[in-house]
Amino acid sequence: MYITISEIPVFTGMKKTFFMKTIASCVEDILITQPFLEEALSRSIINFSALAEELQTPVSKMLRKPVKTGAIMMALRRYSPPKYLRHSKQLKSVLKDLGDITVRSNLIDFTFENSKTLIHSHAKILESINTEVFYGFSRGIYESNLVISSSEKQTVVDAFKNETQIGLQEQLSAISIRLPKDNSKISGLYYQIFKRFAWEGIALYEVISTTNEFTVLVEDHLVDQAFSTLKRLN
């Protein structure tokens, strides 16, 4: 006889609680990691019987015992999708209110290792670049990215000559879209945008976001396809 990890008792004071994996929890765990499948299920456009057969093996492995497809079908029918999937009408309304889409081409992306002097190098750029050019800067824990019009390439190279450059990508385009007010309170909005790009097979080189504006960077040969994808959001 063996005890799975999910069956190990946890003691709280004088009470003993068992955390048991169920078929329903296993099905939920699988669906959460496959959002496309989860959405198809929420829209009732998927064959429950076929999906149950597909999930029979992974669910059986998770529970370490054979599971009948009928029990999995029951769990699928009782599954409650996330709120952002249930409120699809609200999302559709928001997507219709998206603002203008702007495209900027001939961009270059620099990646530098963070250092104590990086901010000073960055200050040199701010003092010298043309205010009409595209410019974006983001700082992470270990590295920073600078996106700028390719016409300013040499300016960046000179200003950051004492920094450690760990990445460089040219021939990029930026597609920016205005977001509705209070977009940060709308769950699932970014999911819808990223989902469309994934469905179209469009790889995003970088994402830049402000409170009411969303920008994606793609390689030049993908810009037309990415632009069309965003236009179809509404």
Side-chain angles (χ1 to χ4, degrees):
M1 177 181 179
Y2 61 85
I3 300 176
T4 64
I5 293 177
S6 59
E7 296 171 341
I8 295 177
V10 176
F11 292 89
T12 305
M14 297 300 293
K15 296 182 179 180
K16 182 174 67 173
T17 304
F18 283 86
F19 291 96
M20 301 286 289
K21 271 286 187 182
T22 64
I23 295 176
S25 63
C26 290
V27 168
E28 182 176 355
D29 288 345
I30 294 173
L31 293 177
I32 288 175
T33 62
Q34 302 185 48
F36 294 164
L37 181 60
E38 186 178 44
E39 181 174 5
L41 186 64
S42 71
R43 295 169 61 188
S44 300
I45 56 175
I46 199 166
N47 186 304
F48 283 88
S49 178
L51 180 57
E53 291 182 5
E54 185 74 18
L55 298 182
Q56 185 177 27
T57 298
V59 171
S60 296
K61 288 182 178 179
M62 293 171 75
L63 292 177
R64 298 186 181 182
K65 64 180 181 181
V67 177
K68 295 182 178 180
T69 56
I72 297 176
M73 283 183 61
M74 184 67 71
L76 288 171
R77 294 186 184 280
R78 292 179 175 177
Y79 176 69
S80 179
K83 289 182 179 180
Y84 67 80
L85 292 179
R86 296 198 298 269
H87 298 166
S88 59
K89 289 184 179 180
Q90 179 188 10
L91 267 177
K92 289 179 180 178
S93 176
V94 171
L95 292 173
K96 288 182 179 180
D97 292 332
L98 293 178
D100 295 335
I101 301 176
T102 305
V103 178
R104 297 290 296 269
S105 56
N106 297 318
L107 305 180
I108 185 169
D109 186 298
F110 292 88
T111 305
F112 297 100
E113 184 178 297
N114 285 346
S115 69
K116 294 181 179 179
T117 58
L118 189 69
I119 191 66
H120 301 297
S121 300
H122 184 209
K124 296 177 183 177
I125 295 295
L126 296 177
E127 293 174 354
S128 60
I129 63 171
N130 183 339
T131 56
E132 299 298 320
V133 304
F134 183 94
Y135 167 83
F137 180 81
S138 58
R139 182 184 177 94
I141 298 175
Y142 304 107
E143 61 184 31
S144 296
N145 272 69
L146 175 63
V147 184
I148 197 167
S149 298
S150 57
S151 59
E152 301 293 327
K153 178 179 180 180
Q154 192 57 48
T155 303
V156 176
V157 171
D158 292 340
F160 287 80
K161 62 183 178 181
N162 295 323
E163 304 297 336
T164 302
Q165 181 179 313
I166 56 179
L168 175 67
Q169 178 67 43
E170 300 186 73
Q171 298 181 334
L172 294 173
S173 293
I175 306 175
S176 302
I177 187 168
R178 292 282 294 176
L179 299 174
K181 293 181 178 180
D182 296 327
N183 66 85
S184 60
K185 299 179 181 179
I186 303 171
S187 60
L189 177 59
Y190 282 94
Y191 164 75
Q192 291 293 331
I193 297 174
F194 287 121
K195 178 190 68 177
R196 297 295 181 90
F197 283 127
W199 277 356
E200 296 291 337
I202 300 172
L204 303 181
Y205 185 80
E206 191 169 337
V207 177
I208 303 173
S209 176
T210 59
T211 302
N212 297 305
E213 189 174 319
F214 179 79
T215 300
V216 295
L217 262 67
V218 298
E219 295 182 44
D220 285 344
H221 70 278
L222 294 172
V223 65
D224 290 339
Q225 185 182 3
F227 178 82
S228 298
T229 299
L230 285 175
K231 287 289 290 183
R232 290 197 298 271
L233 280 173
N234 52 18

Short mmCIF file of all heavy atoms in Angstrom, two decimals, residues 18-60:
data_model
loop_
_atom_site.label_atom_id
_atom_site.label_comp_id
_atom_site.label_asym_id
_atom_site.label_seq_id
_atom_site.Cartn_x
_atom_site.Cartn_y
_atom_site.Cartn_z
N PHE A 18 -7.26 15.77 5.15
CA PHE A 18 -6.66 15.10 4.02
C PHE A 18 -6.96 15.89 2.75
O PHE A 18 -8.10 16.25 2.48
CB PHE A 18 -7.25 13.68 3.86
CG PHE A 18 -6.69 12.71 4.85
CD1 PHE A 18 -7.25 12.58 6.11
CD2 PHE A 18 -5.59 11.93 4.53
CE1 PHE A 18 -6.74 11.68 7.03
CE2 PHE A 18 -5.07 11.03 5.45
CZ PHE A 18 -5.64 10.91 6.70
N PHE A 19 -5.90 16.16 1.98
CA PHE A 19 -6.07 16.81 0.70
C PHE A 19 -6.07 15.74 -0.37
O PHE A 19 -5.01 15.21 -0.72
CB PHE A 19 -4.94 17.84 0.47
CG PHE A 19 -5.03 19.02 1.39
CD1 PHE A 19 -4.29 19.06 2.56
CD2 PHE A 19 -5.86 20.08 1.09
CE1 PHE A 19 -4.37 20.14 3.41
CE2 PHE A 19 -5.94 21.17 1.94
CZ PHE A 19 -5.20 21.21 3.10
N MET A 20 -7.24 15.42 -0.87
CA MET A 20 -7.38 14.34 -1.83
C MET A 20 -7.58 14.88 -3.23
O MET A 20 -8.41 15.75 -3.46
CB MET A 20 -8.60 13.47 -1.45
CG MET A 20 -8.52 12.86 -0.06
SD MET A 20 -7.34 11.51 0.04
CE MET A 20 -8.20 10.27 -0.90
N LYS A 21 -6.82 14.38 -4.15
CA LYS A 21 -7.01 14.71 -5.56
C LYS A 21 -8.29 14.03 -6.05
O LYS A 21 -8.52 12.86 -5.77
CB LYS A 21 -5.82 14.23 -6.38
CG LYS A 21 -4.68 15.22 -6.50
CD LYS A 21 -5.05 16.33 -7.47
CE LYS A 21 -3.85 17.23 -7.73
NZ LYS A 21 -4.19 18.35 -8.63
N THR A 22 -9.09 14.77 -6.78
CA THR A 22 -10.30 14.20 -7.35
C THR A 22 -10.23 14.29 -8.86
O THR A 22 -9.37 14.97 -9.42
CB THR A 22 -11.54 14.97 -6.86
OG1 THR A 22 -11.48 16.32 -7.36
CG2 THR A 22 -11.61 14.98 -5.34
N ILE A 23 -11.14 13.59 -9.52
CA ILE A 23 -11.19 13.67 -10.98
C ILE A 23 -11.46 15.10 -11.41
O ILE A 23 -10.82 15.61 -12.36
CB ILE A 23 -12.29 12.72 -11.52
CG1 ILE A 23 -11.92 11.27 -11.22
CG2 ILE A 23 -12.48 12.93 -13.02
CD1 ILE A 23 -12.99 10.27 -11.62
N ALA A 24 -12.36 15.77 -10.72
CA ALA A 24 -12.70 17.15 -11.07
C ALA A 24 -11.50 18.08 -10.94
O ALA A 24 -11.25 18.93 -11.81
CB ALA A 24 -13.84 17.65 -10.19
N SER A 25 -10.71 17.92 -9.87
CA SER A 25 -9.55 18.80 -9.68
C SER A 25 -8.47 18.51 -10.71
O SER A 25 -7.77 19.41 -11.16
CB SER A 25 -8.99 18.64 -8.26
OG SER A 25 -8.51 17.33 -8.03
N CYS A 26 -8.33 17.24 -11.11
CA CYS A 26 -7.36 16.88 -12.14
C CYS A 26 -7.75 17.48 -13.49
O CYS A 26 -6.92 18.03 -14.22
CB CYS A 26 -7.25 15.36 -12.27
SG CYS A 26 -6.47 14.55 -10.86
N VAL A 27 -9.03 17.39 -13.81
CA VAL A 27 -9.53 17.97 -15.06
C VAL A 27 -9.31 19.47 -15.07
O VAL A 27 -8.87 20.05 -16.07
CB VAL A 27 -11.03 17.64 -15.25
CG1 VAL A 27 -11.63 18.48 -16.37
CG2 VAL A 27 -11.22 16.16 -15.54
N GLU A 28 -9.59 20.12 -13.95
CA GLU A 28 -9.40 21.57 -13.85
C GLU A 28 -7.93 21.94 -14.04
O GLU A 28 -7.60 22.90 -14.74
CB GLU A 28 -9.90 22.08 -12.50
CG GLU A 28 -9.77 23.58 -12.35
CD GLU A 28 -10.35 24.08 -11.04
OE1 GLU A 28 -10.93 23.27 -10.30
OE2 GLU A 28 -10.22 25.29 -10.77
N ASP A 29 -7.03 21.17 -13.41
CA ASP A 29 -5.60 21.44 -13.54
C ASP A 29 -5.15 21.37 -15.01
O ASP A 29 -4.34 22.17 -15.47
CB ASP A 29 -4.79 20.45 -12.71
CG ASP A 29 -4.91 20.70 -11.21
OD1 ASP A 29 -5.38 21.80 -10.84
OD2 ASP A 29 -4.56 19.81 -10.43
N ILE A 30 -5.68 20.40 -15.74
CA ILE A 30 -5.30 20.23 -17.14
C ILE A 30 -5.86 21.37 -17.99
O ILE A 30 -5.16 21.94 -18.83
CB ILE A 30 -5.82 18.87 -17.67
CG1 ILE A 30 -5.09 17.72 -16.97
CG2 ILE A 30 -5.62 18.77 -19.19
CD1 ILE A 30 -5.64 16.35 -17.30
N LEU A 31 -7.11 21.74 -17.76
CA LEU A 31 -7.74 22.80 -18.56
C LEU A 31 -7.08 24.15 -18.33
O LEU A 31 -6.94 24.95 -19.26
CB LEU A 31 -9.23 22.89 -18.23
CG LEU A 31 -10.08 21.70 -18.65
CD1 LEU A 31 -11.53 21.89 -18.20
CD2 LEU A 31 -10.03 21.50 -20.16
N ILE A 32 -6.67 24.42 -17.10
CA ILE A 32 -6.03 25.70 -16.78
C ILE A 32 -4.74 25.88 -17.58
O ILE A 32 -4.39 27.00 -17.97
CB ILE A 32 -5.74 25.79 -15.26
CG1 ILE A 32 -7.06 25.98 -14.50
CG2 ILE A 32 -4.78 26.94 -14.95
CD1 ILE A 32 -6.90 25.95 -12.99
N THR A 33 -4.03 24.79 -17.84
CA THR A 33 -2.77 24.89 -18.58
C THR A 33 -2.98 24.90 -20.09
O THR A 33 -2.01 25.05 -20.84
CB THR A 33 -1.84 23.70 -18.23
OG1 THR A 33 -2.48 22.47 -18.62
CG2 THR A 33 -1.55 23.67 -16.74
N GLN A 34 -4.23 24.76 -20.54
CA GLN A 34 -4.54 24.76 -21.98
C GLN A 34 -5.70 25.72 -22.23
O GLN A 34 -6.85 25.30 -22.42
CB GLN A 34 -4.88 23.36 -22.46
CG GLN A 34 -3.78 22.35 -22.22
CD GLN A 34 -4.07 20.99 -22.82
OE1 GLN A 34 -4.47 20.87 -23.97
NE2 GLN A 34 -3.90 19.95 -22.03
N PRO A 35 -5.43 27.05 -22.24
CA PRO A 35 -6.50 28.05 -22.35
C PRO A 35 -7.35 27.93 -23.61
O PRO A 35 -8.54 28.23 -23.58
CB PRO A 35 -5.73 29.38 -22.31
CG PRO A 35 -4.33 29.04 -22.68
CD PRO A 35 -4.10 27.67 -22.13
N PHE A 36 -6.76 27.51 -24.73
CA PHE A 36 -7.56 27.37 -25.95
C PHE A 36 -8.62 26.29 -25.76
O PHE A 36 -9.78 26.44 -26.16
CB PHE A 36 -6.68 27.00 -27.14
CG PHE A 36 -5.70 28.08 -27.54
CD1 PHE A 36 -4.64 27.78 -28.37
CD2 PHE A 36 -5.84 29.37 -27.06
CE1 PHE A 36 -3.75 28.78 -28.74
CE2 PHE A 36 -4.96 30.37 -27.42
CZ PHE A 36 -3.90 30.08 -28.26
N LEU A 37 -8.23 25.20 -25.15
CA LEU A 37 -9.16 24.10 -24.88
C LEU A 37 -10.22 24.54 -23.88
O LEU A 37 -11.41 24.22 -24.03
CB LEU A 37 -8.38 22.91 -24.32
CG LEU A 37 -9.16 21.63 -23.99
CD1 LEU A 37 -9.84 21.09 -25.23
CD2 LEU A 37 -8.22 20.57 -23.41
N GLU A 38 -9.79 25.30 -22.90
CA GLU A 38 -10.71 25.79 -21.87
C GLU A 38 -11.77 26.70 -22.48
O GLU A 38 -12.96 26.60 -22.16
CB GLU A 38 -9.92 26.56 -20.80
CG GLU A 38 -10.74 27.00 -19.61
CD GLU A 38 -9.88 27.70 -18.58
OE1 GLU A 38 -9.05 28.53 -18.97
OE2 GLU A 38 -10.06 27.42 -17.39
N GLU A 39 -11.37 27.56 -23.40
CA GLU A 39 -12.33 28.46 -24.03
C GLU A 39 -13.30 27.70 -24.92
O GLU A 39 -14.51 27.97 -24.93
CB GLU A 39 -11.61 29.53 -24.85
CG GLU A 39 -12.59 30.50 -25.50
CD GLU A 39 -11.90 31.65 -26.20
OE1 GLU A 39 -10.66 31.65 -26.26
OE2 GLU A 39 -12.61 32.53 -26.71
N ALA A 40 -12.80 26.73 -25.67
CA ALA A 40 -13.66 25.93 -26.53
C ALA A 40 -14.71 25.20 -25.69
O ALA A 40 -15.88 25.08 -26.08
CB ALA A 40 -12.83 24.94 -27.34
N LEU A 41 -14.29 24.75 -24.52
CA LEU A 41 -15.20 24.05 -23.62
C LEU A 41 -16.27 25.00 -23.10
O LEU A 41 -17.45 24.66 -23.03
CB LEU A 41 -14.42 23.44 -22.47
CG LEU A 41 -15.19 22.55 -21.49
CD1 LEU A 41 -15.71 21.31 -22.20
CD2 LEU A 41 -14.30 22.14 -20.32
N SER A 42 -15.87 26.23 -22.75
CA SER A 42 -16.81 27.21 -22.21
C SER A 42 -17.84 27.63 -23.25
O SER A 42 -18.95 28.04 -22.91
CB SER A 42 -16.06 28.44 -21.68
OG SER A 42 -15.54 29.20 -22.75
N ARG A 43 -17.48 27.53 -24.53
CA ARG A 43 -18.38 27.92 -25.61
C ARG A 43 -19.18 26.74 -26.15
O ARG A 43 -19.92 26.88 -27.12
CB ARG A 43 -17.57 28.57 -26.73
CG ARG A 43 -16.92 29.88 -26.33
CD ARG A 43 -15.92 30.35 -27.37
NE ARG A 43 -16.56 30.57 -28.66
CZ ARG A 43 -15.88 30.85 -29.79
NH1 ARG A 43 -14.56 30.91 -29.75
NH2 ARG A 43 -16.53 31.04 -30.92
N SER A 44 -19.02 25.59 -25.52
CA SER A 44 -19.76 24.37 -25.91
C SER A 44 -19.57 24.02 -27.37
O SER A 44 -20.49 23.64 -28.09
CB SER A 44 -21.26 24.56 -25.62
OG SER A 44 -21.48 24.79 -24.24
N ILE A 45 -18.33 24.15 -27.86
CA ILE A 45 -18.04 23.81 -29.25
C ILE A 45 -17.03 22.66 -29.29
O ILE A 45 -16.26 22.54 -30.25
CB ILE A 45 -17.49 25.02 -30.03
CG1 ILE A 45 -16.25 25.61 -29.34
CG2 ILE A 45 -18.55 26.09 -30.19
CD1 ILE A 45 -15.59 26.74 -30.12
N ILE A 46 -17.07 21.83 -28.27
CA ILE A 46 -16.13 20.71 -28.22
C ILE A 46 -16.90 19.44 -27.85
O ILE A 46 -17.90 19.49 -27.13
CB ILE A 46 -15.01 21.00 -27.18
CG1 ILE A 46 -13.81 20.10 -27.43
CG2 ILE A 46 -15.52 20.85 -25.77
CD1 ILE A 46 -12.56 20.54 -26.70
N ASN A 47 -16.45 18.34 -28.37
CA ASN A 47 -17.09 17.05 -28.13
C ASN A 47 -16.63 16.51 -26.77
O ASN A 47 -15.47 16.18 -26.58
CB ASN A 47 -16.71 16.07 -29.25
CG ASN A 47 -17.45 14.76 -29.14
OD1 ASN A 47 -17.39 14.08 -28.13
ND2 ASN A 47 -18.14 14.38 -30.21
N PHE A 48 -17.57 16.43 -25.81
CA PHE A 48 -17.22 16.01 -24.46
C PHE A 48 -16.70 14.57 -24.44
O PHE A 48 -15.76 14.25 -23.70
CB PHE A 48 -18.43 16.12 -23.54
CG PHE A 48 -18.74 17.52 -23.10
CD1 PHE A 48 -19.57 18.33 -23.86
CD2 PHE A 48 -18.19 18.03 -21.94
CE1 PHE A 48 -19.85 19.62 -23.45
CE2 PHE A 48 -18.47 19.34 -21.53
CZ PHE A 48 -19.30 20.13 -22.30
N SER A 49 -17.31 13.72 -25.23
CA SER A 49 -16.91 12.32 -25.23
C SER A 49 -15.48 12.16 -25.74
O SER A 49 -14.66 11.44 -25.15
CB SER A 49 -17.87 11.50 -26.11
OG SER A 49 -17.46 10.15 -26.17
N ALA A 50 -15.17 12.84 -26.85
CA ALA A 50 -13.82 12.76 -27.42
C ALA A 50 -12.79 13.36 -26.48
O ALA A 50 -11.68 12.82 -26.32
CB ALA A 50 -13.79 13.48 -28.78
N LEU A 51 -13.13 14.47 -25.84
CA LEU A 51 -12.21 15.11 -24.91
C LEU A 51 -11.99 14.23 -23.69
O LEU A 51 -10.86 14.13 -23.18
CB LEU A 51 -12.74 16.48 -24.48
CG LEU A 51 -11.87 17.26 -23.49
CD1 LEU A 51 -10.47 17.47 -24.04
CD2 LEU A 51 -12.52 18.60 -23.16
N ALA A 52 -13.03 13.57 -23.21
CA ALA A 52 -12.90 12.68 -22.06
C ALA A 52 -11.94 11.54 -22.36
O ALA A 52 -11.12 11.15 -21.52
CB ALA A 52 -14.27 12.13 -21.67
N GLU A 53 -12.03 10.99 -23.56
CA GLU A 53 -11.10 9.92 -23.96
C GLU A 53 -9.67 10.44 -24.03
O GLU A 53 -8.72 9.74 -23.66
CB GLU A 53 -11.53 9.35 -25.31
CG GLU A 53 -12.84 8.57 -25.26
CD GLU A 53 -13.20 7.98 -26.60
OE1 GLU A 53 -12.39 8.09 -27.55
OE2 GLU A 53 -14.30 7.40 -26.73
N GLU A 54 -9.53 11.69 -24.50
CA GLU A 54 -8.20 12.29 -24.59
C GLU A 54 -7.59 12.52 -23.21
O GLU A 54 -6.37 12.39 -23.02
CB GLU A 54 -8.30 13.63 -25.33
CG GLU A 54 -6.98 14.31 -25.60
CD GLU A 54 -6.17 13.65 -26.69
OE1 GLU A 54 -6.75 12.88 -27.50
OE2 GLU A 54 -4.96 13.91 -26.75
N LEU A 55 -8.43 12.83 -22.25
CA LEU A 55 -7.95 13.14 -20.90
C LEU A 55 -7.85 11.91 -20.00
O LEU A 55 -7.32 12.00 -18.89
CB LEU A 55 -8.89 14.16 -20.23
CG LEU A 55 -9.02 15.54 -20.88
CD1 LEU A 55 -9.94 16.42 -20.06
CD2 LEU A 55 -7.65 16.20 -21.02
N GLN A 56 -8.32 10.78 -20.47
CA GLN A 56 -8.37 9.58 -19.62
C GLN A 56 -6.98 9.18 -19.13
O GLN A 56 -6.78 8.91 -17.94
CB GLN A 56 -9.01 8.42 -20.38
CG GLN A 56 -9.19 7.16 -19.51
CD GLN A 56 -9.90 6.04 -20.26
OE1 GLN A 56 -9.83 5.97 -21.48
NE2 GLN A 56 -10.59 5.18 -19.52
N THR A 57 -6.01 9.15 -20.03
CA THR A 57 -4.66 8.73 -19.64
C THR A 57 -4.00 9.71 -18.66
O THR A 57 -3.51 9.30 -17.61
CB THR A 57 -3.77 8.55 -20.89
OG1 THR A 57 -4.32 7.50 -21.69
CG2 THR A 57 -2.35 8.18 -20.48
N PRO A 58 -3.97 11.03 -18.97
CA PRO A 58 -3.33 11.94 -18.01
C PRO A 58 -4.02 11.99 -16.66
O PRO A 58 -3.36 12.08 -15.62
CB PRO A 58 -3.39 13.31 -18.71
CG PRO A 58 -4.42 13.17 -19.78
CD PRO A 58 -4.38 11.74 -20.20
N VAL A 59 -5.36 11.92 -16.63
CA VAL A 59 -6.07 11.94 -15.36
C VAL A 59 -5.78 10.67 -14.56
O VAL A 59 -5.56 10.71 -13.34
CB VAL A 59 -7.59 12.10 -15.58
CG1 VAL A 59 -8.35 11.90 -14.26
CG2 VAL A 59 -7.91 13.47 -16.15
N SER A 60 -5.73 9.54 -15.24
CA SER A 60 -5.42 8.27 -14.57
C SER A 60 -4.02 8.31 -13.97
O SER A 60 -3.79 7.80 -12.86
CB SER A 60 -5.53 7.11 -15.56
OG SER A 60 -6.86 6.96 -16.02
#
